[in-house]
Amino acid sequence: MTFEFNIPKPIDAHVHLRDGAILSQVAPFTARQFSYAIAMPNLLHPVLTTEDAIAYRKRISAAGKSGDFTPLVTLYMTDDTPLSEVKKAKDAGIIGIKLYPESATTNSEFGVTDIKKTYPLLAEMEKQGLPVLIHGEVTDPNIDIFDREAVFIEKILTDIIKNFPALKVSLEHLTTTQAVNFVSGQKNIFASITAHHLLYNRNEIFKGGIRPHWYCLPVLKREEHRKALVSAATGSSKKFYAGTDSAPHLRANKESACGCAGCFTAPNAVELYATAFDTAKEFPQKRFSDFMYGNALEFYNLPPVKSKITLRKSAQKVEDTISDIIPLLAGQEIAWQVVY
Ligand code: NCD
Ligand code: ZN
C-alpha cells in the first residue's frame, strides 16, 4: 500500500519570485504547494517602500493564479529606510523588513553598509513588533566563504540581540551548527531552513565537476553542519521552519564562467523537504507539519488556513527545465509527490 498523509497547506517563509515574465512562470509552482509565501524584496528594482510592497503583493497574487494562496511581502532595508516606514509597513500588513549586508548575495548592492546605521530602525521595529529577516553572512572578502555565517553571528548578530532583546528576528536560510546553537539559545530569534541545505553538503557542488545548479548563498557546508540542520528541523523546537530560498535564474546566468547563486526548488519544494524528513522508521508527520506550517504560522502570527495538501510516497521525475530555468535535480527521480 502506498503511504500518504495530509498536512495543512504549508508556508514558504523565504522565496524569490522575481518580477515580470519570470514571476508569471514561477509563482504558480509556489501557489500550488504553499498557502502563504514570504516573497523576498531583492528585485532588480528593490522593494523599498510600503507602496512598492503593496503593488508587488498584487502582482504576485495575480501571477499565482490560486484561490488558496496568500503572498506575503517584505521591504528591503537600506541605510536610508526612514523610521516612519516601519509603522506604515506594519499597518499595511507587510510581514517584515529584510536586512541584506551590502553585496552579500544576488541584488544586494543596495544593502546595509554598516550595521550600526540600522540601529535606530531596529529600535523602531522592536517597538512596533515588526520582524527583521536577516541574511546572516559577513561580506568581508578576507573571511573564508564557508565561515561567513558563523562570523556574522559572532560579530554582528550577538550585538543586535544585546541591543534589541525584544526584536523579532528571523535568521534566514541557516547553514551551520553555530547558527542552530545560537538560535536555540535565544528567546526571540527564529529561523528558516532550506530543503537543499537539509539534503546536501558541499561535496554536491563538485561531484564529477563543477555544478552551478548546486551553488547558492549561503553556500552548502560540511556534512556535520547538514546533520545539525536536520536535527533542528526534525526536533521538537518551535523555532525552525521551512523557507525554500527557491531562487530562479535563467540557465545562461547559472551555467556561465561566473554563475550566479541560487537553487530553483519551487516546483517540488514540499517533496524535497519530505525526503529530508524521511530518515526514521516512521515518518515524523507531526514534526513535519509543524516545520512546514505551524512554526512559521506562530512566529508571523498568521491566520490559520483550512486547505490541506496530500503527500504520497511515490516516485516522480523532476522536470528537465521550466522555460529557461533549470530546477534542482532536473530530470532526476525523487521519492515523494504532492498529490494534485
Ligand atoms: C538568492 C537570489 O538569487 O536572489 N540567491 C541565493 O543563492 N540564495 C539570494 C539570497 O537569498 O541569498
Ligand atoms: Zn534568499
Side-chain angles (χ1 to χ4, degrees), residues 56-340:
Y56 185 41
R57 188 165 61 192
K58 280 198 193 123
R59 295 199 295 281
I60 301 170
S61 268
K65 296 190 189 124
S66 165
D68 60 0
F69 170 65
T70 307
L72 302 168
V73 287
T74 53
L75 300 188
Y76 185 119
M77 188 185 293
T78 69
D79 288 348
D80 306 314
T81 305
L83 294 188
S84 58
E85 205 64 39
V86 174
K87 184 164 185 320
K88 212 166 144 191
K90 170 106 183 165
D91 291 345
I94 307 305
I95 207 82
I97 304 185
K98 178 78 190 278
L99 191 169
Y100 290 101
E102 186 201 12
S103 302
T105 186
T106 310
N107 299 339
S108 63
E109 57 273 28
F110 306 101
V112 167
T113 57
D114 173 0
I115 199 72
K116 289 277 158 32
K117 289 189 182 167
T118 70
Y119 277 18
L121 195 73
L122 295 180
E124 181 64 12
M125 292 173 72
E126 182 183 39
K127 188 172 141 207
Q128 300 289 344
L130 189 67
V132 60
L133 292 78
I134 300 182
H135 183 113
E137 286 191 293
V138 291
T139 53
D140 180 347
N142 296 314
I143 307 284
D144 191 282
I145 188 168
F146 294 99
D147 296 335
R148 286 181 190 173
E149 183 175 274
V151 174
F152 183 91
I153 290 168
E154 191 194 312
K155 296 255 157 74
I156 295 180
L157 193 54
T158 305
D159 206 53
I160 293 180
I161 304 308
K162 219 180 277 161
N163 281 281
F164 310 105
L167 179 66
K168 288 184 82 174
V169 176
S170 178
L171 189 59
E172 298 301 293
H173 37 53
L174 290 202
T175 62
T176 58
T177 312
Q178 289 93 327
V180 167
N181 291 343
F182 188 78
V183 170
S184 303
Q186 300 288 336
K187 185 160 177 278
N188 291 314
I189 307 198
F190 291 68
S192 63
I193 305 180
T194 78
H196 45 284
H197 288 99
L198 291 175
L199 287 168
Y200 307 108
N201 66 39
R202 64 192 196 179
N203 284 344
E204 215 65 32
I205 309 168
F206 306 105
K207 235 182 211 169
I210 189 147
R211 304 202 301 164
H213 296 290
W214 300 88
Y215 171 58
C216 64
L217 287 171
V219 71
L220 294 172
K221 302 294 192 302
R222 282 176 184 276
E223 178 63 5
E224 70 204 56
H225 295 292
R226 188 193 70 80
K227 284 193 178 133
L229 296 174
V230 172
S231 298
T234 59
S236 57
S237 169
K238 295 263 184 205
K239 291 190 152 222
F240 303 98
Y241 36 77
T244 62
D245 200 16
S246 174
H249 290 276
L250 295 179
R251 178 179 198 146
N253 296 331
K254 291 285 294 171
E255 298 176 8
S256 128
C258 189
C260 48
C263 299
F264 179 51
T265 52
N268 300 103
V270 175
E271 294 95 324
L272 294 175
Y273 279 114
T275 308
F277 270 68
D278 193 4
T279 54
K281 220 170 176 186
E282 200 170 323
F283 190 94
Q285 288 180 43
K286 170 75 172 79
R287 293 272 155 80
F288 187 64
S289 172
D290 286 346
F291 179 78
M292 296 304 297
Y293 172 78
N295 297 353
L297 193 84
E298 206 171 306
F299 177 72
Y300 285 108
N301 212 358
L302 298 167
V305 299
K306 293 205 178 67
S307 308
K308 293 195 179 298
I309 59 163
T310 302
L311 268 141
R312 181 182 295 160
K313 188 156 187 188
S314 159
Q316 65 164 319
K317 201 178 133 226
V318 176
E319 294 287 313
D320 290 313
T321 170
I322 310 279
S323 296
D324 218 11
I325 304 163
I326 310 296
L328 196 71
L329 289 170
Q332 295 183 50
E333 229 179 52
I334 49 175
W336 286 84
Q337 304 195 4
V338 175
V339 183
Y340 296 110

